[in-house]
Structures are given as structure tokens and as C-alpha cells.
């Protein structure tokens, strides 16, 4: 199974984007994001910002390929949770297209987040001991996925609340925005202090909320929310860049 693991990860790196293309390419089900693409909700990024999935899939497949070409003793410790995250992501994408239930989609984000964070935490313990392409790609894949799934979870909170309350996308924009931002801020704090000091996580988080800034500036025209999103995101990212996580001050 250890020899098969990187091959499985490589396969999932290919199957994940194919699973997401089930509806737009093959005409089966509802395209992911159609339910929110036209929303003027203040917590949503511009649709173009979801293109980060392409980079995540590329890093994920690269990690699998690196494990095949440059096997390491530590690879299974990172590989198994990454395999779990990729499998859970396929389940989430299929559900989002075939079942189209926001409540179920929200619940299915949890195993992806847990597995990705576990991989990032295990990789963190290797900092200062390992280096090279396999380590770098593992850090990129686990960090980007951890950060983007944290963004996805945060922006899904208001979406899920609306399914239970019947609120429109523009109802109570400030509480919905702050709910999203508080969720993402808490995730960033826990990740940096308890999981990893990976900058990939904050790159993905910053990218997602830059999309929120532009969405509110260009589409919803809620300019004050756009300004607050920019200030808050810059603060979170800058604090991480300028102040290494306390738990990991000994790591380079």
C-alpha cells in the first residue's frame, strides 16, 4: 500500500477536476457554483477567484508524482490524510452537482478540512528536517487546500443560514459578512497557532477574501464592506507574515 499511495494521490489529482466537470462538461446534474454565481451576497468572492482550484489540483497531482519519482520515508504520514482529503473532495463535488443541498454540502466540507489540516500539521513537524521537491509540493498542496477549504467553510456559513431562514442574499449584509469574516479569522488563528506556519494557507485565504473585496466593490457596490474586507484580510495576513506562530518559533 505504501508503494500504491503516491499513485492513488496522482490519480485523485486527476479525478478531482474531472469530478467537478461532471455537469459543465458531461451535462450531468447542476454545475457547482450555479446556485451562488448570480448572488449579490456580500460574503461571496468573484467567480473568477474559484480558479484557485486549478492550482490546488496541480499541486496535489505534483505531490503524487513526486512521491513516485522521489519516495521518502515520511511520505505516508502526509500522503494518507491527503488521500482522505482528495476522496472527500470528490464526494463533495459529486454531491454539489447531483444532490444540490446546501446543508449537505456544508457538512461534507468538514472531512476535507480535517484531513487537509492534519496533513499540514504533520508536515509542520518535518520543517527543518526535510526539504526538496516532494516536501515543497506537499506543503503547497496541503497548505493551499487547507486555506481554501477554510474560506469555503466561512462563506458557506451564511449560505446555510439562509436555507433555514429564507433570508435573501442581500438581507442583513453586515451580520452575514461579519459571520463569514469571523469564521475565517478564527480558522486562521487556530491554524497558525495549533497546526502550521505554512504561508500557503494564508496565500489561499488572502486570495479568497481579495475576491470578496472585488465582489463588493464591483458587483454589489457595497463599498464600505469591500473596504472593511480589505483592511481585515490585510491585517490577518500581515500579522501572520510578521509574527511567526508561537508554537513553531523553533522551526525555520
Amino acid at each position: 500500500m505504501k508503494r500504491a499511495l503516491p499513485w492513488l494521490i496522482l490519480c485523485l489529482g486527476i479525478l478531482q477536476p474531472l469530478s467537478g466537470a461532471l455537469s459543465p462538461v458531461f451535462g450531468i446534474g447542476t454545475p457547482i457554483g450555479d446556485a451562488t454565481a448570480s448572488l449579490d451576497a456580500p460574503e461571496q468572492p468573484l467567480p473568477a477567484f474559484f480558479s484557485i482550484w486549478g492550482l490546488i489540483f496541480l499541486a496535489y497531482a505534483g505531490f503524487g508524482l513526486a512521491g513516485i519519482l522521489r519516495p521518502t520515508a515520511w511520505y505516508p504520514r502526509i500522503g494518507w490524510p491527503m488521500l482522505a482529503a482528495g476522496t472527500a473532495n470528490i464526494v463533495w463535488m459529486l454531491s454539489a452537482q447531483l444532490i444540490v443541498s446546501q446543508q449537505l454540502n456544508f457538512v461534507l466540507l468538514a472531512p476535507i478540512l480535517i484531513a487537509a489540516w492534519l496533513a499540514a500539521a504533520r508536515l509542520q513537524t518535518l520543517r527543518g528536517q526535510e526539504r526538496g521537491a516532494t516536501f515543497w509540493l506537499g506543503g503547497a498542496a496541503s497548505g493551499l487546500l487547507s486555506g481554501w477549504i477554510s474560506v469555503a467553510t466561512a462563506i458557506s456559513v451564511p449560505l446555510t443560514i439562509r436555507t433555514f431562514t429564507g433570508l435573501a442574499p442581500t438581507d442583513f449584509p453586515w451580520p452575514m459578512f461579519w459571520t463569514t469574516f469571523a469564521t475565517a479569522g478564527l480558522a486562521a488563528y487556530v491554524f497558525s497557532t495549533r497546526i502550521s506556519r505554512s504561508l500557503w494557507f494564508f496565500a489561499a485565504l488572502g486570495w479568497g477574501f481579495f475576491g470578496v473585496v472585488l465582489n463588493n466593490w464591483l458587483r454589489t457596490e457595497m463599498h464600505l464592506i469591500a473596504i472593511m474586507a480589505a483592511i481585515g484580510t490585510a491585517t490577518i495576513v500581515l500579522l501572520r507574515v510578521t509574527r511567526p506562530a508561537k508554537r513553531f518559533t523553533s522551526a525555520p
Side-chain angles (χ1 to χ4, degrees), residues 45-83:
L46 284 176
F49 280 76
F50 289 89
S51 62
I52 192 176
W53 276 118
L55 184 60
I56 293 172
F57 295 147
L58 186 62
Y60 191 100
F63 180 56
L65 184 60
I68 296 169
L69 299 177
R70 295 176 177 268
T72 62
W74 54 264
Y75 192 92
R77 282 182 48 79
I78 316 302
W80 287 116
M82 287 301 292
L83 186 70

Side-chain angles (χ1 to χ4, degrees), residues 74-158:
W74 54 264
Y75 192 92
R77 282 182 48 79
I78 316 302
W80 287 116
M82 287 301 292
L83 186 70
T87 303
N89 198 28
I90 289 176
V91 172
W92 178 85
M93 286 188 287
L94 293 177
S95 172
Q97 293 169 96
L98 301 177
I99 301 177
V100 197
S101 167
Q102 175 55 38
Q103 297 96 323
L104 179 59
N105 290 345
F106 182 71
V107 171
L108 290 177
L109 287 172
I112 308 174
L113 186 144
I114 292 169
W117 280 33
L118 177 60
R122 289 182 174 181
L123 196 77
Q124 175 61 41
T125 63
L126 299 173
R127 291 190 186 277
Q129 307 170 40
E130 302 290 341
R131 61 183 62 191
T134 306
F135 181 82
W136 187 88
L137 286 166
S142 60
L144 286 171
L145 183 58
S146 294
W148 187 249
I149 287 298
S150 298
V151 172
T153 301
I155 66 179
S156 292
V157 173

Side-chain angles (χ1 to χ4, degrees), residues 5-69:
L5 179 59
W7 286 100
L8 292 172
I9 291 175
L10 177 59
C11 289
L12 285 182
I14 299 170
L15 288 176
Q16 286 178 85
L18 289 179
S19 299
L22 189 68
S23 181
V25 175
F26 301 104
I28 303 173
T30 303
I32 297 174
D34 264 20
T36 58
S38 60
L39 292 182
D40 288 327
E43 73 280 353
Q44 290 292 314
L46 284 176
F49 280 76
F50 289 89
S51 62
I52 192 176
W53 276 118
L55 184 60
I56 293 172
F57 295 147
L58 186 62
Y60 191 100
F63 180 56
L65 184 60
I68 296 169
L69 299 177

